[in-house]
Amino acid sequence: DLDKAIKAYRVFVKKFAYSSRVADAQWKIAVLTERTGNDSAAFDAYDDYIKKYRRGENFDKAVEAQFNIATRFLNGEKVKYILGIKASASVIRAQQMFEKIIANAAYSKYAPLSQFNIGQALEKQDKPMDAIAAYQTLQTKYPNDPIAADAQYQIGYVYMKQSRAEGVYDPGAGSKASDAFEDFVARYPNSEKVPQAQENIKLLAGRGTKSAFEIAKYYDKQKQYKSAVIYYNDVIQQQPGTPESDQAKARIEALKGIVGEDALQPGPPRTENGERATKSRKLQAQVDTSARPDYLGPPVSVPVQTAPATPKLRTSPGDIPAPASSGTGAPPPVNPELPAQ
């Protein structure tokens, strides 16, 4: 009858606190509680043993038992009897358990593993940055433990997941992931995870190139050619010899033919002076005018019709012009006089 046995041991611990057998009684409480299936209460019973009897012969076993219980919670065991109510699997409870193990036994062999599992619990809670911080803490506190290599790999893995979390590649997270995997390969060349890390680096490089190429095509479609060329050049530099790189080179050359090489240079537009600037302004004015919705075409020249000049009437003898010279030296001819009437 486990329940009655546990109750009896609790009475013993309370009444005979100074007995040489009290540590054994507390150990029995923890072990039997775990046998009942109430892991959450068993963890707390082991915790009481660890805190009160640090020199007890079962200290290491108690830490191990706590670690096993916390791992079961992390892996999805049903949490029982939390506030008297059955609950679903709780990684939050697992995280709290691992934190207690580190607090009570910071130099035990289970402390580095517990720190790693805190990162795992935070990942399951969708707290990637907190998880990365937990893995970094492990490397700081336990740099020589074998699990430190797994922590470095996991940092890269979390950043890699973040790089594609929203369905769109995040180049910032991708770059951090690649750096973390490269550090892993350099620091732990004998790890069995090195081939996978190298494969992840290649995958991230490909995603980065694809992302830059897609961004370039977007700006190209928006006719923001200067921005498009910047990203096309990123593709060429990051992945030379790939189909995307060849397409980027071809498109840059095509854009030079469309808008001119000067228009694709980074920085503000060049200032033009003199005749070239005047010509450019005139051309731009023509473009602006032709783009107006009320533009009907160039102006049409219509000839202006004027009335013929009215001849001037002769009103006096002085108005009669003198005849022009014949050019022979002879006096000009004189009109004959009219016959007398």
Side-chain angles (χ1 to χ4, degrees), residues 9 13 21 35 46 61 113 126 133 140 143 179 192 195 199 201 214 242 246 274 286 288 308 337:
Y9 284 122
V13 169
R21 304 300 302 275
R35 285 176 58 186
Y46 285 120
K61 289 182 180 179
L113 293 170
D126 197 22
T140 301
D179 290 343
E192 61 181 10
E199 187 64 28
I201 292 170
E214 293 299 323
T242 62
D246 293 339
Q286 292 176 7
D288 294 342
E337 295 182 1

Side-chain angles (χ1 to χ4, degrees), residues 17 54 83 129 135 167 170 183 222 251 259 304 314:
R54 301 191 68 83
L83 300 178
M129 295 300 103
Y135 295 131
D170 180 353
D183 286 347
Q222 300 297 318
R251 186 54 184 163
V259 298
V304 180
R314 297 178 182 176

Side-chain angles (χ1 to χ4, degrees), residues 262 269-281:
D262 289 347
R270 295 183 179 180
T271 303
E272 296 179 337
N273 298 314
E275 183 180 350
R276 183 177 180 181
T278 303
K279 184 178 180 180
S280 296
R281 286 195 295 270

Side-chain angles (χ1 to χ4, degrees), residues 170-193:
D170 180 353
S175 177
K176 291 179 180 179
S178 184
D179 290 343
F181 284 129
E182 288 175 356
D183 286 347
F184 171 79
V185 173
R187 293 165 61 183
Y188 309 104
N190 297 323
S191 172
E192 61 181 10
K193 293 184 178 179

Side-chain angles (χ1 to χ4, degrees), residues 7-266:
K7 185 177 180 180
Y9 284 122
R10 284 177 177 165
V11 172
F12 181 89
V13 169
K14 185 175 181 180
K15 284 189 174 183
F16 306 100
Y18 297 102
S19 168
S20 61
R21 304 300 302 275
V22 69
D24 294 335
Q26 182 61 46
W27 173 252
K28 283 286 188 177
I29 292 171
V31 171
L32 296 179
T33 303
E34 186 176 2
R35 285 176 58 186
T36 66
N38 189 346
D39 277 350
S40 185
F43 183 92
D44 293 338
Y46 285 120
D47 196 54
D48 287 339
Y49 180 91
I50 291 170
K51 288 178 178 177
K52 293 178 181 178
Y53 313 108
R54 301 191 68 83
R55 296 181 181 275
E57 62 178 353
N58 292 312
F59 181 89
D60 291 337
K61 289 182 180 179
V63 174
E64 181 181 4
Q66 281 193 318
F67 180 83
N68 292 335
I69 291 173
T71 301
R72 291 199 292 270
F73 275 83
L74 181 64
N75 293 335
E77 178 182 291
K78 297 263 184 200
V79 180
K80 297 181 179 179
Y81 306 109
I82 295 180
L83 300 178
I85 302 173
K86 289 185 178 182
S88 61
S90 174
V91 294
I92 296 176
R93 177 65 170 143
Q95 179 186 341
Q96 294 169 346
M97 289 176 173
F98 288 123
E99 288 171 348
K100 277 194 174 183
I101 292 171
I102 294 172
N104 293 334
Y107 299 102
S108 73
K109 65 180 181 179
Y110 294 103
L113 293 170
S114 295
Q115 184 63 43
F116 181 84
N117 285 343
I118 289 173
Q120 295 278 286
L122 289 165
E123 281 192 63
K124 291 188 176 186
Q125 295 174 62
D126 197 22
K127 297 179 178 179
M129 295 300 103
D130 291 340
I132 289 172
Y135 295 131
Q136 291 171 337
T137 298
L138 190 158
Q139 291 183 312
T140 301
K141 295 176 67 174
Y142 311 104
N144 298 322
D145 193 275
I147 199 67
D150 292 331
Q152 180 61 39
Y153 180 91
Q154 207 64 18
I155 290 171
Y157 178 73
V158 174
Y159 273 129
M160 186 169 70
K161 287 200 301 183
Q162 283 300 105
S163 72
R164 56 191 180 192
E166 302 298 328
V168 178
Y169 180 75
D170 180 353
S175 177
K176 291 179 180 179
S178 184
D179 290 343
F181 284 129
E182 288 175 356
D183 286 347
F184 171 79
V185 173
R187 293 165 61 183
Y188 309 104
N190 297 323
S191 172
E192 61 181 10
K193 293 184 178 179
V194 166
Q196 184 60 55
Q198 293 172 333
E199 187 64 28
N200 291 341
I201 292 170
K202 293 179 182 178
L203 179 63
L204 288 163
R207 286 184 179 275
T209 302
K210 183 176 180 181
S211 175
F213 190 67
E214 293 299 323
I215 295 172
K217 290 198 297 183
Y218 169 80
Y219 281 122
D220 199 340
K221 188 175 181 180
Q222 300 297 318
K223 297 185 178 181
Q224 299 182 33
Y225 300 128
K226 186 180 295 186
S227 298
V229 167
I230 291 174
Y231 284 96
Y232 281 135
N233 280 322
D234 285 345
V235 174
I236 295 169
Q237 293 174 4
Q238 293 172 10
Q239 288 292 310
T242 62
E244 289 83 1
S245 176
D246 293 339
Q247 293 178 44
K249 290 179 182 178
R251 186 54 184 163
I252 289 175
E253 292 302 316
L255 289 175
K256 288 179 180 179
I258 295 172
V259 298
E261 189 169 356
D262 289 347
L264 302 177
Q265 296 298 322

